[in-house]
Coordinates of all heavy atoms in Angstrom, one line a residue:
M56 N 0.8 -1.2 0.0 CA 0.0 0.0 0.0 C 0.9 1.2 0.0 O 1.9 1.3 0.7 CB -0.9 0.0 1.3 CG -2.3 0.4 1.0 SD -3.2 0.2 2.5 CE -4.1 1.8 2.4
A57 N 0.5 2.2 -0.8 CA 1.3 3.4 -0.9 C 1.0 4.3 0.4 O -0.1 4.2 0.9 CB 0.9 4.2 -2.1
G58 N 2.0 5.0 0.8 CA 1.9 5.9 1.9 C 1.1 7.1 1.5 O 0.9 7.4 0.3
N59 N 0.7 7.8 2.4 CA -0.1 9.1 2.1 C 0.9 10.2 1.8 O 2.0 10.3 2.2 CB -0.9 9.5 3.3 CG -2.1 8.6 3.5 OD1 -2.6 8.0 2.6 ND2 -2.7 8.6 4.7
F60 N 0.3 11.1 1.0 CA 1.0 12.4 0.7 C 0.2 13.5 1.4 O -1.0 13.3 1.6 CB 1.0 12.6 -0.8 CG 1.9 11.7 -1.6 CD1 1.5 10.4 -1.9 CD2 3.1 12.1 -2.1 CE1 2.3 9.5 -2.6 CE2 3.9 11.3 -2.8 CZ 3.5 10.0 -3.0
Y61 N 0.9 14.5 1.7 CA 0.2 15.6 2.4 C 0.5 16.9 1.6 O 1.6 17.2 1.2 CB 0.8 15.8 3.8 CG 0.5 14.5 4.6 CD1 1.5 13.5 4.8 CD2 -0.7 14.4 5.3 CE1 1.2 12.4 5.5 CE2 -1.0 13.2 6.0 CZ 0.0 12.3 6.1 OH -0.3 11.1 6.9
Q62 N -0.5 17.7 1.5 CA -0.3 19.1 1.0 C 0.0 20.0 2.1 O -0.7 20.1 3.1 CB -1.6 19.6 0.3 CG -1.3 20.9 -0.4 CD -2.4 21.3 -1.4 OE1 -3.4 20.6 -1.6 NE2 -2.2 22.4 -2.1
V63 N 1.2 20.5 2.1 CA 1.8 21.3 3.2 C 2.0 22.7 2.7 O 2.5 23.0 1.6 CB 3.1 20.6 3.7 CG1 3.7 21.4 4.8 CG2 2.8 19.2 4.1
R64 N 1.7 23.7 3.6 CA 2.0 25.1 3.3 C 3.3 25.5 4.1 O 3.4 25.3 5.3 CB 0.9 26.0 3.8 CG 1.2 27.4 3.5 CD 0.1 28.3 4.1 NE -1.1 28.2 3.3 CZ -2.4 28.3 3.9 NH1 -2.5 28.5 5.1 NH2 -3.4 28.2 3.1
C65 N 4.2 26.0 3.3 CA 5.5 26.5 3.9 C 5.2 27.6 4.9 O 4.5 28.6 4.5 CB 6.4 26.9 2.8 SG 7.9 27.7 3.5
P66 N 5.7 27.6 6.1 CA 5.4 28.6 7.1 C 6.2 29.9 6.8 O 5.8 31.0 7.3 CB 5.9 28.1 8.4 CG 6.9 27.0 8.0 CD 6.4 26.5 6.7
D67 N 7.2 29.8 5.9 CA 8.0 31.0 5.6 C 7.4 31.8 4.4 O 7.3 33.0 4.4 CB 9.4 30.6 5.3 CG 10.2 30.4 6.6 OD1 9.6 30.6 7.7 OD2 11.4 30.0 6.5
C68 N 7.1 31.1 3.3 CA 6.7 31.8 2.1 C 5.3 31.4 1.6 O 4.9 31.9 0.6 CB 7.7 31.5 1.0 SG 7.6 29.9 0.3
E69 N 4.6 30.5 2.3 CA 3.2 30.1 2.0 C 3.1 29.4 0.7 O 2.0 29.2 0.1 CB 2.3 31.3 2.0 CG 2.3 32.0 3.4 CD 1.1 33.0 3.5 OE1 0.6 33.4 2.5 OE2 0.8 33.4 4.6
N70 N 4.3 28.9 0.1 CA 4.2 28.0 -1.0 C 3.5 26.7 -0.5 O 3.7 26.2 0.6 CB 5.6 27.7 -1.5 CG 5.7 26.6 -2.5 OD1 5.0 26.6 -3.5 ND2 6.5 25.6 -2.3
E71 N 2.7 26.2 -1.4 CA 2.0 24.9 -1.1 C 2.6 23.8 -1.9 O 2.7 24.0 -3.2 CB 0.5 25.0 -1.3 CG -0.1 25.9 -0.3 CD -1.6 26.1 -0.6 OE1 -2.2 25.4 -1.4 OE2 -2.2 27.1 -0.1
Q72 N 3.0 22.7 -1.3 CA 3.5 21.6 -2.1 C 3.1 20.3 -1.5 O 2.8 20.2 -0.3 CB 5.0 21.7 -2.4 CG 5.9 21.4 -1.3 CD 7.4 21.8 -1.7 OE1 7.7 22.9 -2.0 NE2 8.2 20.8 -1.7
V73 N 3.1 19.2 -2.3 CA 2.7 17.9 -1.8 C 4.0 17.1 -1.4 O 4.9 17.1 -2.2 CB 1.9 17.2 -2.9 CG1 1.6 15.8 -2.5 CG2 0.6 17.9 -3.2
V74 N 4.0 16.6 -0.2 CA 5.1 15.9 0.3 C 4.7 14.4 0.7 O 3.5 14.2 1.0 CB 5.8 16.6 1.5 CG1 6.2 18.0 1.1 CG2 4.8 16.6 2.7
Y75 N 5.6 13.5 0.7 CA 5.4 12.2 1.0 C 5.4 12.0 2.6 O 6.3 12.6 3.2 CB 6.4 11.3 0.4 CG 6.2 9.8 0.6 CD1 4.9 9.2 0.4 CD2 7.3 9.0 0.8 CE1 4.7 7.9 0.6 CE2 7.1 7.6 1.0 CZ 5.8 7.0 0.9 OH 5.6 5.7 1.0
G76 N 4.4 11.3 3.1 CA 4.3 11.2 4.5 C 5.4 10.3 5.2 O 5.5 10.3 6.4
K77 N 6.1 9.5 4.4 CA 7.1 8.7 5.0 C 8.5 9.0 4.3 O 9.2 8.1 4.0 CB 6.8 7.2 4.8 CG 5.5 6.8 5.6 CD 5.2 5.4 5.4 CE 3.9 5.0 6.2 NZ 3.5 3.6 5.8
A78 N 8.7 10.2 4.0 CA 10.0 10.6 3.4 C 11.2 10.1 4.1 O 11.2 10.2 5.3 CB 10.0 12.1 3.2
A79 N 12.1 9.6 3.4 CA 13.4 9.1 4.0 C 14.5 10.1 4.0 O 15.5 10.0 4.7 CB 13.9 7.9 3.2
T80 N 14.2 11.2 3.3 CA 15.2 12.3 3.3 C 14.4 13.6 3.6 O 13.2 13.7 3.5 CB 15.9 12.5 2.0 OG1 15.0 12.7 1.0 CG2 16.7 11.2 1.7
E81 N 15.1 14.7 4.0 CA 14.5 15.9 4.2 C 13.9 16.5 2.9 O 14.5 16.3 1.9 CB 15.5 17.0 4.8 CG 15.9 16.7 6.2 CD 16.7 17.9 6.7 OE1 17.1 18.7 6.0 OE2 17.0 17.8 7.9
V82 N 12.7 17.0 3.0 CA 12.1 17.7 1.9 C 12.0 19.2 2.2 O 11.5 19.6 3.2 CB 10.7 17.1 1.6 CG1 10.0 17.8 0.5 CG2 10.7 15.6 1.4
A83 N 12.6 19.9 1.3 CA 12.7 21.4 1.4 C 11.6 22.1 0.5 O 11.3 21.5 -0.5 CB 14.0 21.9 1.1
C84 N 11.2 23.2 1.0 CA 10.3 24.0 0.2 C 11.0 24.3 -1.2 O 12.1 24.7 -1.2 CB 10.0 25.3 0.9 SG 9.1 26.5 -0.1
A85 N 10.2 24.2 -2.3 CA 10.8 24.4 -3.6 C 11.1 25.9 -3.8 O 11.9 26.2 -4.7 CB 9.8 23.9 -4.7
V86 N 10.5 26.7 -3.1 CA 10.6 28.2 -3.3 C 11.7 28.8 -2.4 O 12.6 29.4 -2.9 CB 9.3 28.9 -3.0 CG1 9.5 30.4 -3.1 CG2 8.2 28.4 -4.0
C87 N 11.7 28.5 -1.1 CA 12.6 29.2 -0.2 C 13.6 28.3 0.5 O 14.5 28.7 1.2 CB 11.8 30.0 0.8 SG 11.0 29.0 2.1
G88 N 13.4 27.0 0.4 CA 14.3 26.0 1.0 C 14.1 25.7 2.4 O 14.8 24.9 3.0
H89 N 13.0 26.2 3.0 CA 12.7 25.8 4.4 C 12.3 24.3 4.4 O 11.7 23.8 3.6 CB 11.4 26.6 4.8 CG 11.0 26.4 6.2 ND1 11.4 27.2 7.2 CD2 10.3 25.4 6.8 CE1 10.9 26.8 8.4 NE2 10.2 25.7 8.1
V90 N 12.9 23.6 5.4 CA 12.6 22.2 5.5 C 11.2 21.9 6.0 O 10.8 22.4 7.0 CB 13.6 21.5 6.5 CG1 13.3 20.1 6.7 CG2 15.0 21.7 6.0
L91 N 10.4 21.2 5.1 CA 9.0 20.9 5.4 C 8.8 19.6 6.0 O 7.9 19.4 6.8 CB 8.2 21.0 4.1 CG 8.2 22.4 3.4 CD1 7.5 22.3 2.1 CD2 7.6 23.5 4.3
V92 N 9.7 18.6 5.7 CA 9.5 17.3 6.2 C 10.9 16.8 6.7 O 11.9 16.9 6.0 CB 9.0 16.3 5.1 CG1 8.8 14.9 5.7 CG2 7.6 16.8 4.6
R93 N 10.9 16.2 7.9 CA 12.1 15.6 8.4 C 11.9 14.1 8.6 O 10.9 13.7 9.3 CB 12.5 16.2 9.8 CG 13.2 17.5 9.7 CD 13.5 18.0 11.1 NE 13.6 19.4 11.1 CZ 14.6 20.1 10.7 NH1 15.7 19.5 10.2 NH2 14.6 21.5 10.7
P94 N 12.8 13.3 8.2 CA 12.7 11.8 8.4 C 12.9 11.6 9.9 O 13.8 12.2 10.5 CB 13.7 11.2 7.5 CG 14.8 12.3 7.4 CD 14.0 13.6 7.4
T95 N 12.2 10.7 10.5 CA 12.3 10.3 11.9 C 12.6 8.8 12.1 O 12.6 8.3 13.2 CB 11.1 10.7 12.7 OG1 10.0 10.0 12.2 CG2 10.8 12.2 12.6
G96 N 12.8 8.1 11.0 CA 13.0 6.7 11.1 C 11.7 5.9 10.8 O 11.8 4.7 10.6
G97 N 10.6 6.6 10.8 CA 9.4 5.9 10.4 C 8.5 6.9 9.7 O 8.8 7.4 8.6
K98 N 7.5 7.3 10.4 CA 6.6 8.4 9.9 C 7.4 9.7 9.9 O 8.0 10.0 10.9 CB 5.4 8.5 10.7 CG 4.3 9.4 10.2 CD 3.1 9.4 11.1 CE 2.1 10.4 10.6 NZ 1.0 10.4 11.6
A99 N 7.4 10.5 8.8 CA 8.1 11.7 8.8 C 7.4 12.8 9.6 O 6.2 12.8 9.8 CB 8.2 12.2 7.3
A100 N 8.3 13.7 10.1 CA 7.7 14.8 10.9 C 7.5 16.0 9.9 O 8.4 16.4 9.3 CB 8.7 15.2 12.0
I101 N 6.3 16.5 9.9 CA 6.0 17.5 9.0 C 6.0 18.9 9.7 O 5.4 19.1 10.7 CB 4.6 17.3 8.4 CG1 4.6 16.0 7.5 CG2 4.2 18.5 7.5 CD1 3.3 15.6 6.9
E102 N 6.8 19.8 9.2 CA 7.1 21.0 9.9 C 6.2 22.2 9.5 O 6.0 23.1 10.2 CB 8.5 21.5 9.6 CG 9.6 20.4 9.9 CD 10.4 20.7 11.1 OE1 10.7 21.8 11.4 OE2 10.7 19.7 11.8
G103 N 5.6 22.0 8.3 CA 4.7 23.1 7.9 C 3.2 22.8 8.3 O 3.0 21.9 9.0
E104 N 2.3 23.6 7.8 CA 0.9 23.4 8.1 C 0.3 22.4 7.1 O 0.4 22.6 5.9 CB 0.2 24.7 8.0 CG -1.3 24.6 8.2 CD -2.0 25.9 7.9 OE1 -1.4 27.0 7.7 OE2 -3.3 25.9 8.0
V105 N -0.3 21.3 7.6 CA -0.9 20.3 6.7 C -2.2 20.8 6.3 O -3.1 21.0 7.1 CB -1.0 19.0 7.3 CG1 -1.6 18.0 6.4 CG2 0.4 18.5 7.7
L106 N -2.4 21.0 5.0 CA -3.7 21.5 4.5 C -4.7 20.4 4.2 O -5.9 20.5 4.5 CB -3.5 22.3 3.2 CG -2.6 23.5 3.4 CD1 -2.3 24.2 2.0 CD2 -3.1 24.6 4.3
E107 N -4.2 19.3 3.6 CA -5.0 18.2 3.4 C -4.2 16.9 3.1 O -3.0 17.0 2.8 CB -5.9 18.4 2.2 CG -5.3 18.6 0.9 CD -6.3 18.8 -0.2 OE1 -7.2 18.0 -0.3 OE2 -6.1 19.7 -1.0
T108 N -4.8 15.8 3.3 CA -4.1 14.5 3.0 C -4.5 14.1 1.6 O -5.7 14.2 1.2 CB -4.6 13.4 4.0 OG1 -4.3 13.9 5.3 CG2 -3.9 12.1 3.7
V109 N -3.5 13.7 0.8 CA -3.8 13.3 -0.6 C -3.5 11.8 -0.7 O -2.4 11.3 -0.5 CB -2.8 14.1 -1.5 CG1 -3.1 13.7 -3.0 CG2 -2.9 15.6 -1.3
E110 N -4.6 11.1 -1.1 CA -4.4 9.6 -1.3 C -4.0 9.4 -2.7 O -4.6 9.9 -3.6 CB -5.8 8.9 -1.0 CG -6.4 9.2 0.3 CD -5.9 8.3 1.4 OE1 -5.2 7.3 1.0 OE2 -6.2 8.5 2.6
R111 N -3.0 8.6 -2.9 CA -2.5 8.3 -4.2 C -2.4 6.8 -4.4 O -1.7 6.1 -3.5 CB -1.2 9.0 -4.5 CG -1.4 10.5 -4.8 CD -0.2 11.1 -5.4 NE -0.4 12.5 -5.5 CZ 0.6 13.4 -5.9 NH1 1.8 12.9 -6.1 NH2 0.3 14.6 -6.0
G112 N -2.9 6.2 -5.4 CA -2.9 4.8 -5.5 C -1.6 4.2 -5.8 O -1.3 3.0 -5.5
A113 N -0.7 4.9 -6.5 CA 0.6 4.3 -6.8 C 1.6 5.0 -6.0 O 2.8 4.6 -6.1 CB 0.8 4.5 -8.3
Ligands
ZN480 ZN1 9.0 28.3 1.5

């Protein structure tokens, strides 16, 4: 089963982007570089505001 994706708003620049909920590496904002997701060994820690959960089949 695929993990969930989350639409997250960057707290610094308000860019919205979709991130993987179990990211194994840090995911940075595409606009300003603020780290939005940090890997914690399992479920990733999301640093921005989660706007919605995005279910993706693949
Ligand atoms: Zn940003």
Side-chain angles (χ1 to χ4, degrees):
M56 223 176 134
N59 284 340
F60 289 77
Y61 299 95
Q62 185 164 4
V63 178
R64 179 188 287 147
C65 175
D67 282 356
C68 72
E69 300 191 346
N70 171 53
E71 293 174 12
Q72 73 188 62
V73 175
V74 301
Y75 185 43
K77 292 178 182 172
T80 58
E81 287 188 351
V82 177
C84 172
V86 174
C87 75
H89 183 98
V90 174
L91 298 177
V92 181
R93 277 180 210 283
T95 60
K98 188 177 175 185
I101 296 177
E102 307 253 324
E104 179 186 354
V105 177
L106 301 174
E107 64 177 313
T108 302
V109 182
E110 305 273 354
R111 285 192 182 171

